[in-house]
């Protein structure tokens, strides 16, 4: 996993350095849009509606349009002036009972890793949350957006779950539910009996995404059969060494060969006096002509 944020939790006067990681991942099979007639990949460009020219992302600002049709264009400098929580701090606002947080408010989940050589403060906060059976409400700024989040513990690891703001949850009122008669006692008992027969502990491993499994099977079978729907990937040529690398290898090879010639001649030259030393004293052998030539060669 790759860390997406780095900072610290402000727990009273205690500072808990952490790294943030995305806790979930999407396993859905991805598809590209293609032209049905020839299979050509569909690409999209950012075009200006005024001059019709492509626009680089760095040249794009953001505009707000009011209900009356008025437009306001803001730059990065404008957004930098807005109030936001400390970019590298997660301040604890308060501790609340977990059952008081409506599950509809939960958004995305993140793992927090201790970012300290001595993660004692991290372990203290995690153990405290387990003992009090509460979650900590915190502020969390990610990608220039301040979010409300719940800090809790999962298997000994701190987990940060961003929450929707209350006004982001839509109010609902279905007219068809108005004036509906209350269920009869017999109907409730039968329904409760049915619930009892289907009741068990939750085991997420019992449930699998059948759609993705069958989709993957369909794709694998199509590739294996060589179906007309399959376009084979072009064969790639064996990677060739860069010219610079080739030159370097050649230079190293020549260096080794040159080194071999120099060091190879020295042992051969020293061999002659060794043989001569078997018959004559070393001092006399040193005066011989061949020995002098060997030293010169060395």
């Amino acid at each position: 996993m790759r860390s997406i944020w780095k900072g610290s939790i402000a727990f009273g006067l205690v500072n808990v350095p952490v790294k943030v990681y995305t806790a979930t991942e999407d396993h859905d099979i991805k598809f590209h849009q293609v032209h049905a007639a020839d299979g050509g990949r569909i690409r999209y460009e950012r075009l200006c509606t005024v001059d019709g020219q492509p626009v680089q992302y760095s040249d794009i600002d953001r505009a707000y349009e009011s209900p009356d049709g008025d437009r306001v264009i803001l730059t990065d400098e404008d957004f930098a002036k807005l109030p936001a929580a400390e970019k590298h701090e997660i301040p604890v606002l308060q501790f609340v009972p977990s059952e008081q947080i409506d599950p509809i408010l939960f958004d995305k989940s993140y793992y927090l890793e201790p970012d300290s050589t001595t993660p004692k403060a991290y372990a203290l906060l995690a153990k405290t949350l387990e003992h009090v059976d509460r979650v900590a409400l915190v502020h969390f700024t990610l990608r220039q957006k301040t979010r409300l989040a719940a800090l809790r513990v999962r298997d000994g690891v701190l987990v940060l779950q961003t929450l929707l703001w209350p006004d982001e949850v839509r109010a609902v009122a279905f007219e068809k539910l108005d004036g509906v008669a209350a269920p009869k006692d017999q109907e409730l008992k039968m329904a409760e009996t049915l619930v009892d027969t289907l009741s068990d502990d939750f085991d997420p491993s019992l449930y699998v995404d059948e759609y993705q499994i069958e989709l993957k099977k369909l794709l694998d079978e199509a590739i294996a059969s060589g179906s007309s729907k399959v376009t084979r990937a072009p064969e790639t040529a064996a990677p060739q060494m860069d010219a610079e690398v080739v030159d370097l290898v050649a230079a190293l090879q020549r260096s080794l060969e040159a080194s071999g010639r120099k060091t190879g001649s020295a042992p051969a030259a020293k061999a002659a006096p060794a043989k001569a030393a078997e018959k004559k004293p070393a001092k006399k052998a040193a005066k011989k002509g061949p020995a002098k030539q060997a030293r010169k060669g060395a």
Side-chain angles (χ1 to χ4, degrees), residues 17-65:
V18 293
K19 289 182 180 179
V20 178
Y21 300 84
T22 303
T24 59
E25 57 186 355
D26 185 2
H27 285 164
D28 287 352
I29 296 174
K30 308 298 182 185
F31 289 91
H32 301 300
Q33 290 185 328
V34 296
H35 187 194
D38 53 22
R41 180 83 174 266
I42 303 298
R43 299 192 182 279
Y44 295 91
E45 286 187 306
R46 292 180 291 268
L47 298 178
C48 175
T49 57
V50 176
D51 59 17
Q53 297 300 312
V55 181
Q56 297 296 323
Y57 187 79
S58 59
D59 296 328
I60 295 178
D61 286 331
R62 283 171 282 183
Y64 164 79
E65 188 165 329

Side-chain angles (χ1 to χ4, degrees), residues 10 62 71 122 128 150 158 165 168 202 240-241 252:
R62 283 171 282 183
R71 284 209 312 162
Y122 181 100
T128 301
L158 290 175
W165 297 101
E168 292 181 309
F202 177 58
Q240 297 182 351
M241 296 180 71
L252 290 171

Side-chain angles (χ1 to χ4, degrees), residues 1 4 20-25 108-112 154 158-161:
M1 294 190 295
I4 63 170
V20 178
Y21 300 84
T22 303
T24 59
E25 57 186 355
K108 294 185 178 180
S109 301
Y110 301 90
Y111 289 133
L112 302 186
R154 182 177 186 268
L158 290 175
V159 176
L160 194 68
Q161 289 184 279

